[in-house]
Amino acid sequence: MTKDPVVFDNPRAMRAHAADLRRQGLRIGFVPTMGALHQGHLSLLDYTREHCDHLVVSIFVNPLQFDREDDLSGYPRTWEADLAACAGHGAETIYAPTPAVMYPEGYQTKVSVTELTRGLCGAGRPGHFDGVATVVLKLFNTVSPHLAVFGRKDYQQLRMIQRMVIDLDLPVEVKGRPIVREPDGLAMSSRNTHLSPQEREQALCLYRALTRAESLVRQGRRDVAALKQAAQDEVAAVAPARLEYLEVVDQHSLEPLAVLHRPAVMALAVWLGQTRLIDNMELNP
Ligand code: PAF
């Protein structure tokens, strides 16, 4: 028997609830989401539930982090299914504020993590990471979690949030969890629902690019230009796929590497029609 989670839609009520949980000595685990929950999110809920006493999930499609109006308006919204999924995976509390509550008239503050957000997705999506950092800080302030868990599919986002937590002395432990993939390798994403059957097939080029590079690393290749070329060839083999970027960067600083002499990550963004997909794989020489 699953119990329905309690839902809060404004920061005051959510903060009072969190304070109450803390008074009871409960360890609060938190998974921030924009809804449209899939197996990737659910794996975060399961992990967090195991490592805390009380699981809070936020569901908020954050307008501040969208750089295209059509992306924001077309973002999948599946409230009923999300609630059921949260209940089924042990969430006791849902925090679902509205944009008007999060950003009322007169709102003007933004958080910016400057260096980590310059390259990769940051280069092509101006303002996106400021929007993410801002909302995550607001959510942390309201939910006051002991532990917050994010997926590694948004690798740059995870590193940025870890940096923000250090820089702003936030009393929260941030954990990144592995990418969850479909059986054929496609990384789970709310945006996969936008793909036509043909694009869904073509989207496998991201995973093929990453696994090609990874197998070369296992064979001993350390020359990043060669790894990138091999991966780019996999994307180029799918004519409609448009590569936005493909980089090999340090796992922590996210600075581009020329030689794979320390733990790295290959990350890429590819467009299929109107849908932008990202994926990454850690390369450990
Ligand atoms: O990864 C996401 O779904 C969002 O960027 C997040 C962290 C919930 C902030 O809106």
Side-chain angles (χ1 to χ4, degrees), residues 209-226:
L210 295 169
T211 47
R212 173 102 185 89
E214 193 203 30
S215 86
L216 289 173
V217 172
R218 263 193 269 111
Q219 288 162 37
R221 295 299 291 263
R222 298 290 179 265
D223 167 13
V224 166

Side-chain angles (χ1 to χ4, degrees), residues 65-253:
Q65 71 188 73
F66 284 80
D67 47 325
R68 291 184 299 130
E69 182 48 45
D70 58 323
D71 194 20
L72 172 61
S73 57
Y75 200 82
R77 285 154 169 95
T78 55
W79 174 250
E80 293 299 335
D82 291 346
L83 268 192
C86 286
H89 288 261
E92 282 100 347
T93 299
I94 309 286
Y95 179 42
T98 59
V101 160
M102 289 296 264
Y103 308 115
E105 213 180 302
Y107 184 92
Q108 48 189 288
T109 303
K110 279 190 188 158
V111 181
S112 194
V113 180
T114 52
E115 301 308 311
L116 281 171
T117 61
R118 266 194 219 296
L120 307 177
C121 290
R125 301 190 67 190
H128 166 69
F129 284 114
D130 290 359
V132 175
T134 303
V135 80
V136 170
L137 179 60
K138 281 171 72 73
L139 292 168
F140 282 178
N141 281 338
T142 308
V143 174
S144 66
H146 296 83
L147 168 70
V149 179
F150 295 82
R152 278 201 212 118
K153 182 158 110 29
D154 295 296
Y155 203 91
Q156 190 174 16
Q157 167 174 287
L158 171 67
R159 291 295 180 236
M160 175 196 76
I161 291 166
Q162 288 171 327
R163 185 75 248 168
M164 175 179 79
V165 162
I166 294 170
D167 290 354
L168 299 182
D169 309 312
L170 303 179
V172 55
E173 179 192 352
V174 173
K175 269 242 171 333
R177 296 290 299 157
I179 297 175
V180 177
R181 297 182 180 281
E182 302 281 0
D184 60 6
L186 181 69
M188 299 242 179
S189 163
S190 307
R191 288 192 167 85
N192 291 350
T193 57
H194 294 320
L195 299 170
S196 68
Q198 207 184 10
E199 287 168 345
R200 167 67 184 76
E201 196 53 39
Q202 293 159 350
L204 288 176
C205 68
L206 284 92
Y207 185 61
R208 276 199 296 269
L210 295 169
T211 47
R212 173 102 185 89
E214 193 203 30
S215 86
L216 289 173
V217 172
R218 263 193 269 111
Q219 288 162 37
R221 295 299 291 263
R222 298 290 179 265
D223 167 13
V224 166
L227 298 175
K228 281 172 70 172
Q229 190 58 58
Q232 278 162 2
D233 289 348
E234 294 291 343
V235 178
V238 174
R242 277 182 299 121
L243 185 64
E244 181 182 304
Y245 72 78
L246 186 148
E247 294 291 346
V248 174
V249 297
D250 178 274
Q251 279 180 16
H252 294 277
S253 70

